[in-house]
Structures are given as structure tokens and as C-alpha cells.
Amino acid sequence: MLPLAHGIGGRQDLPIPFPAAMAGAVLALLVSFAALGALWTEPRLAGALRYARPVSAGVRSLVSLPAWRWSWRVAGLLAAAYFCLGLLFGPDRSANPTAGVFYVLFWVGLIPLSLLFGPIWRTLNPLRTLHLLACSALGRDPRRGVRPLPDRLGYWPAAAGLLAFTWLELVAPERATLPVIGAWLAVYCVAMLAGAAVFGSGWFDKGDAFEAYSGLIGRLAPVGRNADGTLTWRNPLHGMAGLEPAPGLTTLVVLLLGSTMYDSLSNAPFWVRFVQESPLPAPLPGTAGLIVVIGLVLAAYLGATALAGRWGGAAPGTTAGELAHSIVPIAVGYLVAHYFTLLLLEGQRTISLLSDPLVTGADWLGTAGWKVSAAGTSPAAIAMLQVTVIVLGHVMGTVLAHDRALTLFPRRTAVKGQVPLLVLMVAYTVTGLLLLFAA
């Protein structure tokens, strides 16, 4: 079973008092807001891809080769096949690496990989590759399905898939056992391949929860592609500002933030006692808690953006979707803070177990002797990292919201319209820090 606690930093580990850290975080947001209002008076991020600097010609030539793309597709297939050895044929006990691969190396590992390299799961996704191979064998264009992909679907399928996964990870009984993981993945794979068969490969972009998850985080990567496909270096804020509003996008980004907040809440002593003392089966209060926390985060966002639109003079019903991109760095900051030690420690343990997915005593990959190390970190350093990335995510969100507000609102009301957003950012910061350091 995976450890319930995902972090080892706590209030007592901070080198400064926790109230001082909290006050500093709020002050950073207030100063950022004041500085932006005074100095950032014109939109600077809209259409910013034209300012991106191309990478070297050699790198561009390499990544444009079909062999380069296919090498990563094959790598994704081989990794999935290796994972399936432990899932289908390995014993259902703690020495089996399957749960660690799924919940740690894959789910959490996608965060740093996407932050560095962009939407990497789009290339590695074995389901997309299987669909491509099947279409090639049948002589069909993988982009064409039985019917066109409706625009109104947007990110709604990905949001549904993300909610299903977070329920599995945080609430489902026996969620680290092979039958539960296998059943969930079987249903998910059938749903994704069926969607691709009906709508074509474009389905994966916004229908696959993990591709959408990697794609959102990858907007903050230092590399991206221009409108003409040229690989470029870029300011991460430029990449995030290019995220266009779409149906379901607001729900998807709020799910990322809200589910991670619930994960912290579920480790708080008062919640653990409540679940243990409840006469109901644990999954019932867990499911209710997950939905309530996500609902509160969503309600706060919708309320703040509606008020911002009213004060700023934006067209009714547009503000929430237009500002959804500003929540992504907040969610990413909280994800990094929340999962850092899980990836660092449990990730190493999983790598050592990966050497033998069938638990036969062999050492196929030569990693069986891997010793788990804290890599020179300390609880105090981890606690400071957690506070820093959360504050940095909120500051980036404030910058993105301010720049978009200059486009959405008339100049005379632009700053006034952002006040509800500032209050929302402060509320998210305070709540996130309290939840993260409460356990």
C-alpha cells in the first residue's frame, strides 16, 4: 500500500514561524498586484508565440524526423508492456511495483517531465500509438473517425476521466491492489480507444485525461511550438497565455487544484478521525469530501470571476473561461509542493522494485540494489520549497490574470475588476498552505 502522507515537511520544520510564512505569502501577492497595476498597463502575453526564439537548427532537424517520433512511441509501448507484466502476472503484494509505477512514476512523474519538455504524454501515450498502428493497418487516416469531434465536448471527457482517476487514487477501497488498478485501467483504455475510433485521433487531445493533464502542465515548459510548428524557446507565461478557452476547461483546471487540496485534507488528523469514527463505509465520506472540496474551489472561482466580470465590464459569461488558464500555475505549484517527497522517496523505492515486476528474485534492470536516499534534502528545506512553489504559482497566476484582464476589461475598470481575483488568490494561498501543513 502506498503511504498516505505525501509530504514530510511541516509547520515545525519551517525555519521561520508559520504565521510569518503565511503573512509573507499574502504580502507577496499584494505587492505583485500593486506592481502589476502600476507598471503593466498593456497586454504583453497575447500572441506572444511570435516572440519565441527557435531552438538550434540541428535540434529542430532531429525532432522533425519520423524516426525520432517513432522512437518515443515505441518507448511508450515497451514501458506499457513492461508495466502490464506486473499488473497481469505479478503477485498482489507490496513487492510488486505496479501501484508505485501507476500512482507515483506515472501520475506524479508526468509533472516534472511536462514542465521540462512540454506535453510529453502525447508522444508516449501507448493508446494513441495503438490507434495509429490500427489505422495504418486498415489504411485509414487516424485523424478521421466515424463522425467529427463536436466542439461542445471540449475538455469535458478529460475532466470526467480526471475525476474518475482522483477518486481511484484518493478514495477507492483497495486502490493499491492489482484487481482494482487493472479493472480501472481496462475500462479507461476501452473508453479512450472507443472515443478515438468514433472521433479520430483528435479525441486524445482533450478526451484523454492524462494527455490533457500533461498538456496543461506542459504549457509552462520552456520549449514549445510556434503557430507554424517551429520548435522554440519561450517564456513559460507565453505558453500558458496561449491556452484558449474551451468547454470544460474551467472544470478541468479546478479539478486539479481541488483534488490535491482534498488529498491534503484527507491526511489531516481531524478528517482521519472523522472517517474512522463514522458508521459509514470509508469510501462514502471520502467521496462526499472529495466532491465537496472540489465544489467549494469551483464555487469560489466562479463567484470571483463573475464578480470580476461585473466590476470590470466584461461580456456576461466569458470571464470564467477566459481566466481559467491563470489557475493552472496555481494548481501546478500545489501539485509540486504536495507530491515532491512522494516522488523523491517512493519513486526511488518503486524504481528498485521495477527490476523484477514478477517478483521472482531476478534483477532484470539492475536496479534491485537501489537504496532510497533523501538526496541531501531536509525537512526544513522541503517545507521552504513547498511554501515557495505555492507562492510562485499564485504570483504567476496573478500575472496571467492581470494580462488577460487588460484585454477583457476596459482600461478604466481593469484594476477594479481584478480585485475579486486578488481576493480569490489570497484565499487559495491561505487555504492551500493551511491544508498542506495541517497534517
Side-chain angles (χ1 to χ4, degrees):
M1 181 68 70
L2 290 175
L4 291 177
H6 290 167
I8 60 175
R11 294 188 187 191
Q12 68 277 9
D13 299 314
L14 283 166
I16 60 175
F18 179 72
M22 180 80 76
V26 172
L27 182 62
L29 289 179
L30 295 175
V31 171
S32 299
F33 178 79
L36 288 169
L39 304 175
W40 194 311
T41 58
E42 297 287 340
R44 301 182 184 182
L45 301 178
L49 282 181
R50 69 178 182 270
Y51 301 117
R53 180 167 57 88
V55 302
S56 66
V59 173
R60 294 203 308 272
S61 299
L62 176 63
V63 300
S64 64
L65 292 174
W68 173 265
R69 293 191 294 271
W70 273 104
S71 66
W72 291 107
R73 289 169 182 161
V74 171
L77 283 176
L78 291 176
Y82 195 77
F83 168 79
C84 287
L85 285 178
L87 176 64
L88 300 176
F89 306 111
D92 192 10
R93 60 175 189 261
S94 60
N96 190 314
T98 298
V101 171
F102 187 42
Y103 293 122
V104 181
L105 296 186
F106 171 58
W107 171 247
V108 182
L110 272 180
I111 299 171
L113 288 177
S114 300
L115 282 173
L116 288 173
F117 305 113
I120 193 170
W121 190 242
R122 192 179 195 279
T123 302
L124 292 173
N125 189 351
L127 298 180
R128 183 185 281 272
T129 303
L130 288 174
H131 175 257
L132 178 59
L133 292 173
C135 289
S136 298
L138 297 173
R140 293 175 49 184
D141 183 349
R143 296 169 297 181
R144 297 179 62 88
V146 177
R147 54 183 298 183
L149 183 63
D151 291 337
R152 65 179 180 275
L153 272 182
Y155 287 96
W156 285 113
L162 181 64
L163 179 60
F165 173 79
T166 54
W167 181 87
L168 171 73
E169 182 203 14
L170 304 176
V171 177
E174 305 297 330
R175 52 190 174 273
T177 61
L178 300 187
V180 172
I181 294 174
W184 192 93
L185 282 174
V187 173
Y188 187 81
C189 290
V190 169
M192 291 301 102
L193 291 174
V198 174
F199 299 117
S201 59
W203 160 264
F204 291 107
D205 295 328
K206 296 177 181 177
D208 186 326
F210 303 115
E211 276 206 18
Y213 167 71
S214 176
L216 288 176
I217 297 173
R219 290 275 179 176
L220 292 169
V223 293
R225 291 190 181 274
N226 247 330
D228 60 1
T230 303
L231 191 67
T232 63
W233 298 110
R234 68 182 181 192
N235 181 329
L237 291 175
H238 292 170
M240 188 55 65
L243 180 61
E244 298 292 336
L249 177 61
T250 298
T251 301
L252 180 66
V253 298
V254 168
L255 270 170
L256 276 177
L257 180 60
S259 61
T260 312
M261 284 187 170
Y262 170 75
D263 197 359
S264 290
L265 173 69
S266 67
N267 293 312
F270 82 90
W271 182 259
V272 173
R273 287 195 302 270
F274 171 76
V275 173
Q276 290 175 343
E277 296 171 0
S278 172
L280 300 173
L284 291 181
T287 302
L290 176 64
I291 293 174
V292 167
V293 171
I294 292 172
L296 289 174
V297 174
L298 179 60
Y301 175 77
L302 294 177
T305 52
L307 188 59
R310 190 176 303 119
W311 287 8
T318 62
T319 315
E322 288 285 351
L323 295 173
H325 70 302
S326 67
I327 301 299
V328 178
I330 297 173
V332 171
Y334 200 58
L335 285 165
V336 172
H338 184 72
Y339 284 121
F340 175 76
T341 52
L342 181 72
L343 181 61
L344 176 65
L345 302 177
E346 190 65 20
Q348 294 181 71
R349 176 179 176 272
T350 301
I351 289 173
S352 69
L353 297 177
L354 259 179
S355 184
D356 183 13
L358 300 181
V359 196
T360 61
D363 189 6
W364 300 0
L365 302 181
T367 62
W370 188 298
K371 301 298 183 182
V372 176
S373 167
T377 60
S378 66
I382 291 172
M384 283 304 299
L385 171 69
Q386 291 171 323
V387 173
T388 300
V389 294
I390 287 177
V391 174
L392 179 60
H394 280 81
V395 170
M396 293 178 70
T398 302
V399 173
L400 288 164
H402 174 77
D403 188 81
R404 185 63 58 87
L406 294 176
T407 303
L408 285 176
F409 306 147
R411 190 62 47 83
R412 65 182 185 280
T413 59
V415 174
K416 179 182 177 181
Q418 293 176 69
V419 172
L421 302 176
L422 174 64
V423 174
L424 177 70
M425 299 290 184
V426 170
Y428 280 170
T429 301
V430 171
T431 302
L433 289 174
L434 285 173
L435 288 176
L436 188 65
F437 290 96

PDB file of all heavy atoms in Angstrom, residues 279-295:
ATOM      1  N   PRO A 279     -19.964   5.811  11.130  1.00  0.00           N
ATOM      2  CA  PRO A 279     -20.564   4.476  10.956  1.00  0.00           C
ATOM      3  C   PRO A 279     -20.655   4.072   9.478  1.00  0.00           C
ATOM      4  O   PRO A 279     -20.956   2.917   9.178  1.00  0.00           O
ATOM      5  CB  PRO A 279     -21.954   4.650  11.564  1.00  0.00           C
ATOM      6  CG  PRO A 279     -22.268   6.106  11.400  1.00  0.00           C
ATOM      7  CD  PRO A 279     -20.955   6.806  11.564  1.00  0.00           C
ATOM      8  N   LEU A 280     -20.398   5.011   8.583  1.00  0.00           N
ATOM      9  CA  LEU A 280     -20.486   4.730   7.149  1.00  0.00           C
ATOM     10  C   LEU A 280     -19.187   4.111   6.649  1.00  0.00           C
ATOM     11  O   LEU A 280     -18.114   4.357   7.199  1.00  0.00           O
ATOM     12  CB  LEU A 280     -20.763   6.026   6.382  1.00  0.00           C
ATOM     13  CG  LEU A 280     -22.041   6.773   6.741  1.00  0.00           C
ATOM     14  CD1 LEU A 280     -22.092   8.121   6.023  1.00  0.00           C
ATOM     15  CD2 LEU A 280     -23.257   5.930   6.371  1.00  0.00           C
ATOM     16  N   PRO A 281     -19.261   3.311   5.590  1.00  0.00           N
ATOM     17  CA  PRO A 281     -18.027   2.806   4.978  1.00  0.00           C
ATOM     18  C   PRO A 281     -17.145   3.963   4.533  1.00  0.00           C
ATOM     19  O   PRO A 281     -17.642   4.986   4.046  1.00  0.00           O
ATOM     20  CB  PRO A 281     -18.543   2.002   3.765  1.00  0.00           C
ATOM     21  CG  PRO A 281     -19.960   1.666   4.098  1.00  0.00           C
ATOM     22  CD  PRO A 281     -20.469   2.807   4.924  1.00  0.00           C
ATOM     23  N   ALA A 282     -15.847   3.833   4.690  1.00  0.00           N
ATOM     24  CA  ALA A 282     -14.904   4.926   4.429  1.00  0.00           C
ATOM     25  C   ALA A 282     -15.057   5.554   3.040  1.00  0.00           C
ATOM     26  O   ALA A 282     -14.899   6.774   2.904  1.00  0.00           O
ATOM     27  CB  ALA A 282     -13.473   4.438   4.641  1.00  0.00           C
ATOM     28  N   PRO A 283     -15.352   4.771   1.986  1.00  0.00           N
ATOM     29  CA  PRO A 283     -15.483   5.413   0.670  1.00  0.00           C
ATOM     30  C   PRO A 283     -16.613   6.433   0.578  1.00  0.00           C
ATOM     31  O   PRO A 283     -16.541   7.359  -0.237  1.00  0.00           O
ATOM     32  CB  PRO A 283     -15.743   4.233  -0.275  1.00  0.00           C
ATOM     33  CG  PRO A 283     -15.117   3.060   0.399  1.00  0.00           C
ATOM     34  CD  PRO A 283     -15.361   3.297   1.867  1.00  0.00           C
ATOM     35  N   LEU A 284     -17.656   6.300   1.415  1.00  0.00           N
ATOM     36  CA  LEU A 284     -18.781   7.245   1.325  1.00  0.00           C
ATOM     37  C   LEU A 284     -18.386   8.637   1.817  1.00  0.00           C
ATOM     38  O   LEU A 284     -18.562   9.626   1.087  1.00  0.00           O
ATOM     39  CB  LEU A 284     -19.983   6.699   2.085  1.00  0.00           C
ATOM     40  CG  LEU A 284     -20.657   5.462   1.464  1.00  0.00           C
ATOM     41  CD1 LEU A 284     -21.852   5.032   2.307  1.00  0.00           C
ATOM     42  CD2 LEU A 284     -21.099   5.776   0.042  1.00  0.00           C
ATOM     43  N   PRO A 285     -17.857   8.794   3.029  1.00  0.00           N
ATOM     44  CA  PRO A 285     -17.417  10.143   3.415  1.00  0.00           C
ATOM     45  C   PRO A 285     -16.244  10.626   2.565  1.00  0.00           C
ATOM     46  O   PRO A 285     -16.104  11.831   2.321  1.00  0.00           O
ATOM     47  CB  PRO A 285     -17.014   9.994   4.886  1.00  0.00           C
ATOM     48  CG  PRO A 285     -16.807   8.538   5.100  1.00  0.00           C
ATOM     49  CD  PRO A 285     -17.738   7.844   4.153  1.00  0.00           C
ATOM     50  N   GLY A 286     -15.413   9.690   2.094  1.00  0.00           N
ATOM     51  CA  GLY A 286     -14.307  10.094   1.218  1.00  0.00           C
ATOM     52  C   GLY A 286     -14.805  10.681  -0.083  1.00  0.00           C
ATOM     53  O   GLY A 286     -14.321  11.723  -0.540  1.00  0.00           O
ATOM     54  N   THR A 287     -15.783  10.023  -0.700  1.00  0.00           N
ATOM     55  CA  THR A 287     -16.357  10.530  -1.950  1.00  0.00           C
ATOM     56  C   THR A 287     -17.047  11.865  -1.727  1.00  0.00           C
ATOM     57  O   THR A 287     -16.872  12.807  -2.517  1.00  0.00           O
ATOM     58  CB  THR A 287     -17.366   9.522  -2.517  1.00  0.00           C
ATOM     59  OG1 THR A 287     -16.707   8.267  -2.741  1.00  0.00           O
ATOM     60  CG2 THR A 287     -17.957  10.013  -3.826  1.00  0.00           C
ATOM     61  N   ALA A 288     -17.823  11.946  -0.640  1.00  0.00           N
ATOM     62  CA  ALA A 288     -18.505  13.205  -0.339  1.00  0.00           C
ATOM     63  C   ALA A 288     -17.500  14.325  -0.092  1.00  0.00           C
ATOM     64  O   ALA A 288     -17.664  15.453  -0.580  1.00  0.00           O
ATOM     65  CB  ALA A 288     -19.413  13.025   0.876  1.00  0.00           C
ATOM     66  N   GLY A 289     -16.432  14.028   0.652  1.00  0.00           N
ATOM     67  CA  GLY A 289     -15.420  15.038   0.924  1.00  0.00           C
ATOM     68  C   GLY A 289     -14.732  15.513  -0.346  1.00  0.00           C
ATOM     69  O   GLY A 289     -14.507  16.713  -0.524  1.00  0.00           O
ATOM     70  N   LEU A 290     -14.402  14.580  -1.230  1.00  0.00           N
ATOM     71  CA  LEU A 290     -13.752  14.939  -2.489  1.00  0.00           C
ATOM     72  C   LEU A 290     -14.643  15.865  -3.304  1.00  0.00           C
ATOM     73  O   LEU A 290     -14.190  16.902  -3.819  1.00  0.00           O
ATOM     74  CB  LEU A 290     -13.431  13.675  -3.286  1.00  0.00           C
ATOM     75  CG  LEU A 290     -12.819  13.867  -4.681  1.00  0.00           C
ATOM     76  CD1 LEU A 290     -11.453  14.533  -4.591  1.00  0.00           C
ATOM     77  CD2 LEU A 290     -12.717  12.523  -5.411  1.00  0.00           C
ATOM     78  N   ILE A 291     -15.915  15.508  -3.433  1.00  0.00           N
ATOM     79  CA  ILE A 291     -16.836  16.314  -4.235  1.00  0.00           C
ATOM     80  C   ILE A 291     -17.066  17.686  -3.600  1.00  0.00           C
ATOM     81  O   ILE A 291     -17.110  18.713  -4.285  1.00  0.00           O
ATOM     82  CB  ILE A 291     -18.168  15.559  -4.415  1.00  0.00           C
ATOM     83  CG1 ILE A 291     -17.935  14.307  -5.283  1.00  0.00           C
ATOM     84  CG2 ILE A 291     -19.223  16.451  -5.063  1.00  0.00           C
ATOM     85  CD1 ILE A 291     -19.141  13.409  -5.395  1.00  0.00           C
ATOM     86  N   VAL A 292     -17.195  17.721  -2.267  1.00  0.00           N
ATOM     87  CA  VAL A 292     -17.445  18.990  -1.583  1.00  0.00           C
ATOM     88  C   VAL A 292     -16.258  19.935  -1.735  1.00  0.00           C
ATOM     89  O   VAL A 292     -16.431  21.134  -2.028  1.00  0.00           O
ATOM     90  CB  VAL A 292     -17.764  18.749  -0.097  1.00  0.00           C
ATOM     91  CG1 VAL A 292     -17.716  20.061   0.688  1.00  0.00           C
ATOM     92  CG2 VAL A 292     -19.146  18.103   0.052  1.00  0.00           C
ATOM     93  N   VAL A 293     -15.033  19.427  -1.551  1.00  0.00           N
ATOM     94  CA  VAL A 293     -13.858  20.296  -1.666  1.00  0.00           C
ATOM     95  C   VAL A 293     -13.720  20.831  -3.086  1.00  0.00           C
ATOM     96  O   VAL A 293     -13.506  22.039  -3.292  1.00  0.00           O
ATOM     97  CB  VAL A 293     -12.580  19.537  -1.246  1.00  0.00           C
ATOM     98  CG1 VAL A 293     -11.333  20.358  -1.574  1.00  0.00           C
ATOM     99  CG2 VAL A 293     -12.621  19.225   0.245  1.00  0.00           C
ATOM    100  N   ILE A 294     -13.861  19.958  -4.071  1.00  0.00           N
ATOM    101  CA  ILE A 294     -13.789  20.418  -5.458  1.00  0.00           C
ATOM    102  C   ILE A 294     -14.904  21.420  -5.736  1.00  0.00           C
ATOM    103  O   ILE A 294     -14.691  22.449  -6.399  1.00  0.00           O
ATOM    104  CB  ILE A 294     -13.884  19.222  -6.431  1.00  0.00           C
ATOM    105  CG1 ILE A 294     -12.634  18.350  -6.303  1.00  0.00           C
ATOM    106  CG2 ILE A 294     -14.048  19.706  -7.876  1.00  0.00           C
ATOM    107  CD1 ILE A 294     -12.717  17.058  -7.084  1.00  0.00           C
ATOM    108  N   GLY A 295     -16.110  21.150  -5.215  1.00  0.00           N
ATOM    109  CA  GLY A 295     -17.229  22.066  -5.416  1.00  0.00           C
ATOM    110  C   GLY A 295     -16.984  23.423  -4.794  1.00  0.00           C
ATOM    111  O   GLY A 295     -17.319  24.458  -5.385  1.00  0.00           O
TER     112      GLY A 295
END
